[in-house]
Amino acid sequence: MDDRTNTIAGWVLAGCAAALGLSIASGMVFHSGPPEKPGYPVEGAAEAGGGAAAAVPIATLLATADVAKGAEVFKKCAACHTVNQGGANGIGPNLWGVIGKKHGHLPNFAYSTALTGIPGNWDFDAMNAWLTSPRKYAPGTKMTFAGLGSAEDRANVIAYLNTQGSNLPLPAAPAAGAAPAAAEAEGNVAEGAPANTADVVNAATPASGAPSVDPAAAEQAAKKGE
C-alpha cells in the first residue's frame, strides 16, 4: 500500500513539475508586451502625427489637377448625384454649377439644416473640406459618404465639378517660401531700435576700457571750477 501511495505521489509531483516547466517556457516564448517591430507595417502610420502640418493647400493641387481623372473619381458620387445641366436630383442634389453657389442653393431639394446652417459658399476650400469629411464639415448631415482620403483625388474632382457649369478661375497657388518670408518680416524690429533686452543692456554699458564717471567726483570738480 505504501509503495502504491509513493508511486502516485511521485506521478503527481512529476506532473506538477512538468506543468510548471511548460508555463515558464511558454511565458518566455509568448510574452504579452508589444512587439519590438510590427510584423505587418501599416502605410502612413508613422506619419500620422505630422500629416496635418504637411498638408498641401488645395490651390496648389488644383494648379496641376486632372479633369479626366476627376470625372473617373466622380463615378463614386454618381450613385447619389447627377452633374449634368438640368439633371434630376437623386438621393443627393444635382451638382451642375455648384462651385461658387451658397450652401443649399437648390430650391427643389430638401437639404439638411446641418448644411443650410453653414454660412458662405461652395468655394474651392469649402468643397475640399466637405469632400475630406462631410460629417466633420457639417455635423448632422444626411450624407453618409465617408469622404475622399486622397488630396489629389479631391483636387481632381473639384476641378471636374468646376467645368460642369461653374468655370470659375482657379485660386492662385501660394508662392513657394511665402509663409517663411512673412514670419521673418513679422520678427524684424524697427530700424534703429534694439533687437532685444540684451542689446538695451549692452547699449547702456560703457565699452570695454572706457573710463567710468563717478557722479560724486564730477560734482566736486564742478564746485572747484566755480
Side-chain angles (χ1 to χ4, degrees):
M1 186 69 178
D2 290 338
D3 291 340
R4 185 177 180 181
T5 302
N6 291 337
T7 301
I8 294 173
W11 281 109
V12 171
L13 290 175
C16 291
L20 180 60
L22 288 173
S23 176
I24 295 174
S26 63
M28 294 174 64
V29 176
F30 302 104
H31 59 84
S32 59
E36 295 180 0
K37 185 177 180 180
Y40 299 95
V42 179
E43 183 179 357
E47 297 82 12
V56 180
I58 190 62
T60 300
L61 295 174
L62 284 171
T64 57
D66 190 318
V67 173
K69 290 182 179 179
E72 287 297 314
V73 178
F74 183 80
K75 291 179 180 179
K76 299 179 181 180
C77 313
C80 299
H81 297 277
T82 59
V83 73
N84 56 305
Q85 185 175 12
N89 296 321
I91 298 175
N94 172 263
L95 298 179
W96 172 262
V98 66
I99 304 296
K101 296 292 181 60
K102 69 176 183 179
H103 296 88
H105 65 283
L106 292 180
N108 60 344
F109 185 81
Y111 297 94
S112 66
T113 55
L115 188 62
T116 57
I118 297 177
N121 298 340
W122 286 118
D123 58 21
F124 296 102
D125 286 325
M127 186 60 73
N128 179 52
W130 169 260
L131 291 175
T132 301
S133 176
R135 294 181 181 179
K136 288 184 179 180
Y137 184 81
T141 179
K142 294 187 294 185
M143 185 169 177
T144 58
F145 183 62
L148 295 173
S150 168
E152 287 76 12
D153 282 352
R154 296 195 300 272
N156 292 337
V157 168
I158 293 171
Y160 168 69
L161 288 175
N162 190 45
T163 64
Q164 304 302 303
S166 298
N167 300 310
L168 299 180
L170 296 179
E184 182 179 355
E186 292 178 359
N188 291 336
V189 295
E191 183 178 357
N196 51 43
T197 305
D199 291 337
V200 177
V201 174
N202 292 336
T205 304
S208 177
S212 59
V213 180
D214 186 350
E219 184 179 356
Q220 291 178 1
K223 289 181 178 180
K224 289 181 180 180
E226 292 175 356

PDB file of all heavy atoms in Angstrom, residues 124-160:
ATOM      1  N   PHE A 124     -13.610  76.763 -53.347  1.00  0.00           N
ATOM      2  CA  PHE A 124     -12.706  75.618 -53.517  1.00  0.00           C
ATOM      3  C   PHE A 124     -12.279  75.038 -52.167  1.00  0.00           C
ATOM      4  O   PHE A 124     -12.196  73.816 -52.010  1.00  0.00           O
ATOM      5  CB  PHE A 124     -11.486  76.035 -54.348  1.00  0.00           C
ATOM      6  CG  PHE A 124     -11.836  76.447 -55.750  1.00  0.00           C
ATOM      7  CD1 PHE A 124     -11.888  77.785 -56.112  1.00  0.00           C
ATOM      8  CD2 PHE A 124     -12.124  75.485 -56.718  1.00  0.00           C
ATOM      9  CE1 PHE A 124     -12.210  78.163 -57.411  1.00  0.00           C
ATOM     10  CE2 PHE A 124     -12.450  75.853 -58.019  1.00  0.00           C
ATOM     11  CZ  PHE A 124     -12.501  77.184 -58.367  1.00  0.00           C
ATOM     12  N   ASP A 125     -12.000  75.898 -51.201  1.00  0.00           N
ATOM     13  CA  ASP A 125     -11.594  75.406 -49.886  1.00  0.00           C
ATOM     14  C   ASP A 125     -12.742  74.683 -49.189  1.00  0.00           C
ATOM     15  O   ASP A 125     -12.543  73.650 -48.543  1.00  0.00           O
ATOM     16  CB  ASP A 125     -11.100  76.564 -49.004  1.00  0.00           C
ATOM     17  CG  ASP A 125      -9.726  77.062 -49.434  1.00  0.00           C
ATOM     18  OD1 ASP A 125      -8.905  76.227 -49.863  1.00  0.00           O
ATOM     19  OD2 ASP A 125      -9.480  78.278 -49.339  1.00  0.00           O
ATOM     20  N   ALA A 126     -13.943  75.248 -49.296  1.00  0.00           N
ATOM     21  CA  ALA A 126     -15.104  74.626 -48.656  1.00  0.00           C
ATOM     22  C   ALA A 126     -15.394  73.261 -49.275  1.00  0.00           C
ATOM     23  O   ALA A 126     -15.674  72.292 -48.559  1.00  0.00           O
ATOM     24  CB  ALA A 126     -16.321  75.538 -48.772  1.00  0.00           C
ATOM     25  N   MET A 127     -15.311  73.168 -50.592  1.00  0.00           N
ATOM     26  CA  MET A 127     -15.566  71.892 -51.244  1.00  0.00           C
ATOM     27  C   MET A 127     -14.504  70.865 -50.876  1.00  0.00           C
ATOM     28  O   MET A 127     -14.802  69.673 -50.697  1.00  0.00           O
ATOM     29  CB  MET A 127     -15.620  72.087 -52.761  1.00  0.00           C
ATOM     30  CG  MET A 127     -16.026  70.832 -53.536  1.00  0.00           C
ATOM     31  SD  MET A 127     -17.671  70.204 -53.086  1.00  0.00           S
ATOM     32  CE  MET A 127     -18.736  71.445 -53.856  1.00  0.00           C
ATOM     33  N   ASN A 128     -13.271  71.315 -50.737  1.00  0.00           N
ATOM     34  CA  ASN A 128     -12.207  70.404 -50.322  1.00  0.00           C
ATOM     35  C   ASN A 128     -12.466  69.874 -48.914  1.00  0.00           C
ATOM     36  O   ASN A 128     -12.308  68.676 -48.649  1.00  0.00           O
ATOM     37  CB  ASN A 128     -10.856  71.123 -50.376  1.00  0.00           C
ATOM     38  CG  ASN A 128      -9.720  70.228 -49.936  1.00  0.00           C
ATOM     39  OD1 ASN A 128      -9.543  69.111 -50.424  1.00  0.00           O
ATOM     40  ND2 ASN A 128      -8.935  70.700 -48.993  1.00  0.00           N
ATOM     41  N   ALA A 129     -12.870  70.754 -47.999  1.00  0.00           N
ATOM     42  CA  ALA A 129     -13.160  70.322 -46.632  1.00  0.00           C
ATOM     43  C   ALA A 129     -14.348  69.369 -46.599  1.00  0.00           C
ATOM     44  O   ALA A 129     -14.354  68.380 -45.863  1.00  0.00           O
ATOM     45  CB  ALA A 129     -13.432  71.540 -45.749  1.00  0.00           C
ATOM     46  N   TRP A 130     -15.369  69.655 -47.407  1.00  0.00           N
ATOM     47  CA  TRP A 130     -16.549  68.788 -47.472  1.00  0.00           C
ATOM     48  C   TRP A 130     -16.197  67.400 -47.989  1.00  0.00           C
ATOM     49  O   TRP A 130     -16.601  66.386 -47.431  1.00  0.00           O
ATOM     50  CB  TRP A 130     -17.596  69.443 -48.365  1.00  0.00           C
ATOM     51  CG  TRP A 130     -18.747  68.566 -48.748  1.00  0.00           C
ATOM     52  CD1 TRP A 130     -18.893  67.900 -49.940  1.00  0.00           C
ATOM     53  CD2 TRP A 130     -19.915  68.253 -47.978  1.00  0.00           C
ATOM     54  NE1 TRP A 130     -20.082  67.202 -49.943  1.00  0.00           N
ATOM     55  CE2 TRP A 130     -20.718  67.394 -48.756  1.00  0.00           C
ATOM     56  CE3 TRP A 130     -20.349  68.619 -46.704  1.00  0.00           C
ATOM     57  CZ2 TRP A 130     -21.936  66.901 -48.301  1.00  0.00           C
ATOM     58  CZ3 TRP A 130     -21.559  68.132 -46.250  1.00  0.00           C
ATOM     59  CH2 TRP A 130     -22.337  67.281 -47.038  1.00  0.00           C
ATOM     60  N   LEU A 131     -15.413  67.352 -49.063  1.00  0.00           N
ATOM     61  CA  LEU A 131     -15.037  66.064 -49.644  1.00  0.00           C
ATOM     62  C   LEU A 131     -14.072  65.290 -48.750  1.00  0.00           C
ATOM     63  O   LEU A 131     -13.981  64.070 -48.839  1.00  0.00           O
ATOM     64  CB  LEU A 131     -14.415  66.273 -51.025  1.00  0.00           C
ATOM     65  CG  LEU A 131     -15.368  66.753 -52.122  1.00  0.00           C
ATOM     66  CD1 LEU A 131     -14.599  67.027 -53.413  1.00  0.00           C
ATOM     67  CD2 LEU A 131     -16.476  65.730 -52.373  1.00  0.00           C
ATOM     68  N   THR A 132     -13.345  65.998 -47.896  1.00  0.00           N
ATOM     69  CA  THR A 132     -12.465  65.309 -46.949  1.00  0.00           C
ATOM     70  C   THR A 132     -13.281  64.540 -45.927  1.00  0.00           C
ATOM     71  O   THR A 132     -13.014  63.364 -45.642  1.00  0.00           O
ATOM     72  CB  THR A 132     -11.550  66.314 -46.229  1.00  0.00           C
ATOM     73  OG1 THR A 132     -10.757  67.015 -47.194  1.00  0.00           O
ATOM     74  CG2 THR A 132     -10.631  65.616 -45.245  1.00  0.00           C
ATOM     75  N   SER A 133     -14.290  65.186 -45.354  1.00  0.00           N
ATOM     76  CA  SER A 133     -15.159  64.526 -44.378  1.00  0.00           C
ATOM     77  C   SER A 133     -16.463  65.306 -44.270  1.00  0.00           C
ATOM     78  O   SER A 133     -16.512  66.322 -43.561  1.00  0.00           O
ATOM     79  CB  SER A 133     -14.486  64.437 -43.011  1.00  0.00           C
ATOM     80  OG  SER A 133     -15.372  63.887 -42.050  1.00  0.00           O
ATOM     81  N   PRO A 134     -17.520  64.868 -44.951  1.00  0.00           N
ATOM     82  CA  PRO A 134     -18.800  65.574 -44.853  1.00  0.00           C
ATOM     83  C   PRO A 134     -19.310  65.678 -43.422  1.00  0.00           C
ATOM     84  O   PRO A 134     -19.883  66.698 -43.036  1.00  0.00           O
ATOM     85  CB  PRO A 134     -19.731  64.714 -45.719  1.00  0.00           C
ATOM     86  CG  PRO A 134     -18.826  64.035 -46.701  1.00  0.00           C
ATOM     87  CD  PRO A 134     -17.569  63.774 -45.937  1.00  0.00           C
ATOM     88  N   ARG A 135     -19.120  64.660 -42.614  1.00  0.00           N
ATOM     89  CA  ARG A 135     -19.642  64.669 -41.250  1.00  0.00           C
ATOM     90  C   ARG A 135     -18.914  65.669 -40.363  1.00  0.00           C
ATOM     91  O   ARG A 135     -19.501  66.215 -39.434  1.00  0.00           O
ATOM     92  CB  ARG A 135     -19.544  63.264 -40.650  1.00  0.00           C
ATOM     93  CG  ARG A 135     -20.458  62.254 -41.352  1.00  0.00           C
ATOM     94  CD  ARG A 135     -20.359  60.883 -40.723  1.00  0.00           C
ATOM     95  NE  ARG A 135     -21.209  59.923 -41.414  1.00  0.00           N
ATOM     96  CZ  ARG A 135     -21.306  58.645 -41.092  1.00  0.00           C
ATOM     97  NH1 ARG A 135     -20.581  58.164 -40.086  1.00  0.00           N
ATOM     98  NH2 ARG A 135     -22.101  57.844 -41.769  1.00  0.00           N
ATOM     99  N   LYS A 136     -17.625  65.890 -40.640  1.00  0.00           N
ATOM    100  CA  LYS A 136     -16.898  66.895 -39.868  1.00  0.00           C
ATOM    101  C   LYS A 136     -17.231  68.300 -40.359  1.00  0.00           C
ATOM    102  O   LYS A 136     -17.273  69.241 -39.574  1.00  0.00           O
ATOM    103  CB  LYS A 136     -15.386  66.646 -39.968  1.00  0.00           C
ATOM    104  CG  LYS A 136     -14.912  65.431 -39.191  1.00  0.00           C
ATOM    105  CD  LYS A 136     -13.390  65.301 -39.257  1.00  0.00           C
ATOM    106  CE  LYS A 136     -12.905  64.099 -38.460  1.00  0.00           C
ATOM    107  NZ  LYS A 136     -11.425  63.960 -38.528  1.00  0.00           N
ATOM    108  N   TYR A 137     -17.432  68.434 -41.667  1.00  0.00           N
ATOM    109  CA  TYR A 137     -17.733  69.752 -42.216  1.00  0.00           C
ATOM    110  C   TYR A 137     -19.118  70.220 -41.780  1.00  0.00           C
ATOM    111  O   TYR A 137     -19.309  71.390 -41.459  1.00  0.00           O
ATOM    112  CB  TYR A 137     -17.654  69.698 -43.742  1.00  0.00           C
ATOM    113  CG  TYR A 137     -17.846  71.042 -44.409  1.00  0.00           C
ATOM    114  CD1 TYR A 137     -16.801  71.946 -44.509  1.00  0.00           C
ATOM    115  CD2 TYR A 137     -19.086  71.403 -44.946  1.00  0.00           C
ATOM    116  CE1 TYR A 137     -16.975  73.174 -45.118  1.00  0.00           C
ATOM    117  CE2 TYR A 137     -19.265  72.629 -45.559  1.00  0.00           C
ATOM    118  CZ  TYR A 137     -18.207  73.513 -45.644  1.00  0.00           C
ATOM    119  OH  TYR A 137     -18.377  74.733 -46.232  1.00  0.00           O
ATOM    120  N   ALA A 138     -20.074  69.306 -41.785  1.00  0.00           N
ATOM    121  CA  ALA A 138     -21.456  69.645 -41.402  1.00  0.00           C
ATOM    122  C   ALA A 138     -21.987  68.548 -40.473  1.00  0.00           C
ATOM    123  O   ALA A 138     -22.682  67.639 -40.937  1.00  0.00           O
ATOM    124  CB  ALA A 138     -22.334  69.788 -42.641  1.00  0.00           C
ATOM    125  N   PRO A 139     -21.639  68.604 -39.192  1.00  0.00           N
ATOM    126  CA  PRO A 139     -22.110  67.579 -38.252  1.00  0.00           C
ATOM    127  C   PRO A 139     -23.635  67.460 -38.283  1.00  0.00           C
ATOM    128  O   PRO A 139     -24.347  68.461 -38.195  1.00  0.00           O
ATOM    129  CB  PRO A 139     -21.623  68.093 -36.894  1.00  0.00           C
ATOM    130  CG  PRO A 139     -20.438  68.951 -37.224  1.00  0.00           C
ATOM    131  CD  PRO A 139     -20.777  69.609 -38.526  1.00  0.00           C
ATOM    132  N   GLY A 140     -24.121  66.240 -38.464  1.00  0.00           N
ATOM    133  CA  GLY A 140     -25.563  66.015 -38.560  1.00  0.00           C
ATOM    134  C   GLY A 140     -26.071  65.930 -39.982  1.00  0.00           C
ATOM    135  O   GLY A 140     -27.272  65.765 -40.205  1.00  0.00           O
ATOM    136  N   THR A 141     -25.163  66.039 -40.973  1.00  0.00           N
ATOM    137  CA  THR A 141     -25.582  65.955 -42.365  1.00  0.00           C
ATOM    138  C   THR A 141     -26.197  64.598 -42.687  1.00  0.00           C
ATOM    139  O   THR A 141     -25.856  63.581 -42.080  1.00  0.00           O
ATOM    140  CB  THR A 141     -24.384  66.203 -43.312  1.00  0.00           C
ATOM    141  OG1 THR A 141     -24.820  66.086 -44.658  1.00  0.00           O
ATOM    142  CG2 THR A 141     -23.281  65.188 -43.065  1.00  0.00           C
ATOM    143  N   LYS A 142     -27.096  64.588 -43.654  1.00  0.00           N
ATOM    144  CA  LYS A 142     -27.732  63.340 -44.066  1.00  0.00           C
ATOM    145  C   LYS A 142     -26.840  62.539 -45.013  1.00  0.00           C
ATOM    146  O   LYS A 142     -27.116  61.375 -45.279  1.00  0.00           O
ATOM    147  CB  LYS A 142     -29.070  63.643 -44.760  1.00  0.00           C
ATOM    148  CG  LYS A 142     -30.107  64.251 -43.836  1.00  0.00           C
ATOM    149  CD  LYS A 142     -31.464  64.381 -44.520  1.00  0.00           C
ATOM    150  CE  LYS A 142     -31.448  65.372 -45.653  1.00  0.00           C
ATOM    151  NZ  LYS A 142     -32.799  65.582 -46.244  1.00  0.00           N
ATOM    152  N   MET A 143     -25.792  63.149 -45.503  1.00  0.00           N
ATOM    153  CA  MET A 143     -24.897  62.453 -46.424  1.00  0.00           C
ATOM    154  C   MET A 143     -24.072  61.420 -45.656  1.00  0.00           C
ATOM    155  O   MET A 143     -23.424  61.748 -44.658  1.00  0.00           O
ATOM    156  CB  MET A 143     -23.980  63.449 -47.120  1.00  0.00           C
ATOM    157  CG  MET A 143     -23.102  62.831 -48.189  1.00  0.00           C
ATOM    158  SD  MET A 143     -22.288  64.111 -49.167  1.00  0.00           S
ATOM    159  CE  MET A 143     -21.285  63.124 -50.260  1.00  0.00           C
ATOM    160  N   THR A 144     -24.077  60.180 -46.142  1.00  0.00           N
ATOM    161  CA  THR A 144     -23.397  59.098 -45.444  1.00  0.00           C
ATOM    162  C   THR A 144     -22.017  58.790 -46.026  1.00  0.00           C
ATOM    163  O   THR A 144     -21.310  57.942 -45.500  1.00  0.00           O
ATOM    164  CB  THR A 144     -24.249  57.814 -45.499  1.00  0.00           C
ATOM    165  OG1 THR A 144     -24.498  57.467 -46.869  1.00  0.00           O
ATOM    166  CG2 THR A 144     -25.577  58.024 -44.785  1.00  0.00           C
ATOM    167  N   PHE A 145     -21.634  59.467 -47.114  1.00  0.00           N
ATOM    168  CA  PHE A 145     -20.334  59.221 -47.729  1.00  0.00           C
ATOM    169  C   PHE A 145     -19.224  59.607 -46.762  1.00  0.00           C
ATOM    170  O   PHE A 145     -19.241  60.690 -46.177  1.00  0.00           O
ATOM    171  CB  PHE A 145     -20.225  60.025 -49.027  1.00  0.00           C
ATOM    172  CG  PHE A 145     -18.942  59.797 -49.783  1.00  0.00           C
ATOM    173  CD1 PHE A 145     -18.621  58.546 -50.273  1.00  0.00           C
ATOM    174  CD2 PHE A 145     -18.072  60.842 -50.012  1.00  0.00           C
ATOM    175  CE1 PHE A 145     -17.453  58.332 -50.976  1.00  0.00           C
ATOM    176  CE2 PHE A 145     -16.899  60.652 -50.719  1.00  0.00           C
ATOM    177  CZ  PHE A 145     -16.587  59.388 -51.195  1.00  0.00           C
ATOM    178  N   ALA A 146     -18.243  58.724 -46.589  1.00  0.00           N
ATOM    179  CA  ALA A 146     -17.185  58.956 -45.599  1.00  0.00           C
ATOM    180  C   ALA A 146     -16.211  60.038 -46.026  1.00  0.00           C
ATOM    181  O   ALA A 146     -15.602  60.693 -45.176  1.00  0.00           O
ATOM    182  CB  ALA A 146     -16.435  57.661 -45.330  1.00  0.00           C
ATOM    183  N   GLY A 147     -16.041  60.249 -47.331  1.00  0.00           N
ATOM    184  CA  GLY A 147     -15.100  61.250 -47.800  1.00  0.00           C
ATOM    185  C   GLY A 147     -13.988  60.626 -48.634  1.00  0.00           C
ATOM    186  O   GLY A 147     -13.851  59.399 -48.705  1.00  0.00           O
ATOM    187  N   LEU A 148     -13.181  61.477 -49.257  1.00  0.00           N
ATOM    188  CA  LEU A 148     -12.053  61.041 -50.077  1.00  0.00           C
ATOM    189  C   LEU A 148     -10.763  61.303 -49.320  1.00  0.00           C
ATOM    190  O   LEU A 148     -10.442  62.454 -49.006  1.00  0.00           O
ATOM    191  CB  LEU A 148     -12.032  61.792 -51.417  1.00  0.00           C
ATOM    192  CG  LEU A 148     -13.216  61.539 -52.360  1.00  0.00           C
ATOM    193  CD1 LEU A 148     -13.146  62.491 -53.561  1.00  0.00           C
ATOM    194  CD2 LEU A 148     -13.232  60.089 -52.831  1.00  0.00           C
ATOM    195  N   GLY A 149     -10.025  60.245 -49.034  1.00  0.00           N
ATOM    196  CA  GLY A 149      -8.800  60.404 -48.265  1.00  0.00           C
ATOM    197  C   GLY A 149      -7.646  60.985 -49.060  1.00  0.00           C
ATOM    198  O   GLY A 149      -6.734  61.567 -48.478  1.00  0.00           O
ATOM    199  N   SER A 150      -7.678  60.852 -50.382  1.00  0.00           N
ATOM    200  CA  SER A 150      -6.584  61.352 -51.215  1.00  0.00           C
ATOM    201  C   SER A 150      -6.806  62.810 -51.587  1.00  0.00           C
ATOM    202  O   SER A 150      -7.835  63.167 -52.186  1.00  0.00           O
ATOM    203  CB  SER A 150      -6.468  60.501 -52.489  1.00  0.00           C
ATOM    204  OG  SER A 150      -5.611  61.120 -53.431  1.00  0.00           O
ATOM    205  N   ALA A 151      -5.835  63.649 -51.245  1.00  0.00           N
ATOM    206  CA  ALA A 151      -5.939  65.071 -51.593  1.00  0.00           C
ATOM    207  C   ALA A 151      -5.920  65.268 -53.103  1.00  0.00           C
ATOM    208  O   ALA A 151      -6.591  66.162 -53.634  1.00  0.00           O
ATOM    209  CB  ALA A 151      -4.794  65.852 -50.945  1.00  0.00           C
ATOM    210  N   GLU A 152      -5.174  64.436 -53.814  1.00  0.00           N
ATOM    211  CA  GLU A 152      -5.130  64.536 -55.272  1.00  0.00           C
ATOM    212  C   GLU A 152      -6.494  64.187 -55.873  1.00  0.00           C
ATOM    213  O   GLU A 152      -6.945  64.845 -56.822  1.00  0.00           O
ATOM    214  CB  GLU A 152      -4.064  63.601 -55.842  1.00  0.00           C
ATOM    215  CG  GLU A 152      -2.635  64.065 -55.613  1.00  0.00           C
ATOM    216  CD  GLU A 152      -2.156  63.848 -54.181  1.00  0.00           C
ATOM    217  OE1 GLU A 152      -2.863  63.117 -53.423  1.00  0.00           O
ATOM    218  OE2 GLU A 152      -1.106  64.392 -53.818  1.00  0.00           O
ATOM    219  N   ASP A 153      -7.152  63.160 -55.335  1.00  0.00           N
ATOM    220  CA  ASP A 153      -8.493  62.808 -55.830  1.00  0.00           C
ATOM    221  C   ASP A 153      -9.466  63.956 -55.606  1.00  0.00           C
ATOM    222  O   ASP A 153     -10.293  64.268 -56.469  1.00  0.00           O
ATOM    223  CB  ASP A 153      -9.005  61.553 -55.120  1.00  0.00           C
ATOM    224  CG  ASP A 153      -8.384  60.279 -55.670  1.00  0.00           C
ATOM    225  OD1 ASP A 153      -7.683  60.347 -56.695  1.00  0.00           O
ATOM    226  OD2 ASP A 153      -8.589  59.209 -55.061  1.00  0.00           O
ATOM    227  N   ARG A 154      -9.376  64.594 -54.444  1.00  0.00           N
ATOM    228  CA  ARG A 154     -10.284  65.721 -54.160  1.00  0.00           C
ATOM    229  C   ARG A 154     -10.032  66.868 -55.128  1.00  0.00           C
ATOM    230  O   ARG A 154     -10.974  67.479 -55.644  1.00  0.00           O
ATOM    231  CB  ARG A 154     -10.107  66.188 -52.707  1.00  0.00           C
ATOM    232  CG  ARG A 154     -10.501  65.156 -51.676  1.00  0.00           C
ATOM    233  CD  ARG A 154     -10.663  65.783 -50.302  1.00  0.00           C
ATOM    234  NE  ARG A 154      -9.447  66.412 -49.806  1.00  0.00           N
ATOM    235  CZ  ARG A 154      -8.500  65.789 -49.127  1.00  0.00           C
ATOM    236  NH1 ARG A 154      -8.628  64.486 -48.856  1.00  0.00           N
ATOM    237  NH2 ARG A 154      -7.436  66.428 -48.682  1.00  0.00           N
ATOM    238  N   ALA A 155      -8.771  67.167 -55.372  1.00  0.00           N
ATOM    239  CA  ALA A 155      -8.446  68.258 -56.301  1.00  0.00           C
ATOM    240  C   ALA A 155      -8.961  67.936 -57.697  1.00  0.00           C
ATOM    241  O   ALA A 155      -9.514  68.811 -58.385  1.00  0.00           O
ATOM    242  CB  ALA A 155      -6.935  68.490 -56.326  1.00  0.00           C
ATOM    243  N   ASN A 156      -8.809  66.693 -58.133  1.00  0.00           N
ATOM    244  CA  ASN A 156      -9.276  66.306 -59.464  1.00  0.00           C
ATOM    245  C   ASN A 156     -10.795  66.405 -59.572  1.00  0.00           C
ATOM    246  O   ASN A 156     -11.336  66.883 -60.581  1.00  0.00           O
ATOM    247  CB  ASN A 156      -8.818  64.881 -59.784  1.00  0.00           C
ATOM    248  CG  ASN A 156      -7.310  64.783 -59.962  1.00  0.00           C
ATOM    249  OD1 ASN A 156      -6.634  65.773 -60.265  1.00  0.00           O
ATOM    250  ND2 ASN A 156      -6.767  63.589 -59.763  1.00  0.00           N
ATOM    251  N   VAL A 157     -11.505  65.969 -58.530  1.00  0.00           N
ATOM    252  CA  VAL A 157     -12.973  66.040 -58.544  1.00  0.00           C
ATOM    253  C   VAL A 157     -13.436  67.493 -58.547  1.00  0.00           C
ATOM    254  O   VAL A 157     -14.369  67.863 -59.277  1.00  0.00           O
ATOM    255  CB  VAL A 157     -13.568  65.283 -57.343  1.00  0.00           C
ATOM    256  CG1 VAL A 157     -15.046  65.595 -57.189  1.00  0.00           C
ATOM    257  CG2 VAL A 157     -13.378  63.787 -57.515  1.00  0.00           C
ATOM    258  N   ILE A 158     -12.794  68.324 -57.740  1.00  0.00           N
ATOM    259  CA  ILE A 158     -13.183  69.738 -57.686  1.00  0.00           C
ATOM    260  C   ILE A 158     -12.943  70.402 -59.040  1.00  0.00           C
ATOM    261  O   ILE A 158     -13.763  71.203 -59.517  1.00  0.00           O
ATOM    262  CB  ILE A 158     -12.412  70.458 -56.567  1.00  0.00           C
ATOM    263  CG1 ILE A 158     -12.843  69.927 -55.195  1.00  0.00           C
ATOM    264  CG2 ILE A 158     -12.635  71.971 -56.628  1.00  0.00           C
ATOM    265  CD1 ILE A 158     -11.983  70.414 -54.045  1.00  0.00           C
ATOM    266  N   ALA A 159     -11.811  70.093 -59.667  1.00  0.00           N
ATOM    267  CA  ALA A 159     -11.530  70.650 -60.987  1.00  0.00           C
ATOM    268  C   ALA A 159     -12.576  70.187 -61.996  1.00  0.00           C
ATOM    269  O   ALA A 159     -13.017  70.963 -62.857  1.00  0.00           O
ATOM    270  CB  ALA A 159     -10.133  70.226 -61.439  1.00  0.00           C
ATOM    271  N   TYR A 160     -12.990  68.937 -61.879  1.00  0.00           N
ATOM    272  CA  TYR A 160     -14.030  68.414 -62.783  1.00  0.00           C
ATOM    273  C   TYR A 160     -15.368  69.105 -62.538  1.00  0.00           C
ATOM    274  O   TYR A 160     -16.036  69.542 -63.486  1.00  0.00           O
ATOM    275  CB  TYR A 160     -14.164  66.913 -62.586  1.00  0.00           C
ATOM    276  CG  TYR A 160     -15.381  66.318 -63.258  1.00  0.00           C
ATOM    277  CD1 TYR A 160     -15.488  66.252 -64.641  1.00  0.00           C
ATOM    278  CD2 TYR A 160     -16.447  65.829 -62.495  1.00  0.00           C
ATOM    279  CE1 TYR A 160     -16.615  65.708 -65.253  1.00  0.00           C
ATOM    280  CE2 TYR A 160     -17.574  65.291 -63.092  1.00  0.00           C
ATOM    281  CZ  TYR A 160     -17.658  65.236 -64.464  1.00  0.00           C
ATOM    282  OH  TYR A 160     -18.774  64.714 -65.064  1.00  0.00           O
TER     283      TYR A 160
END
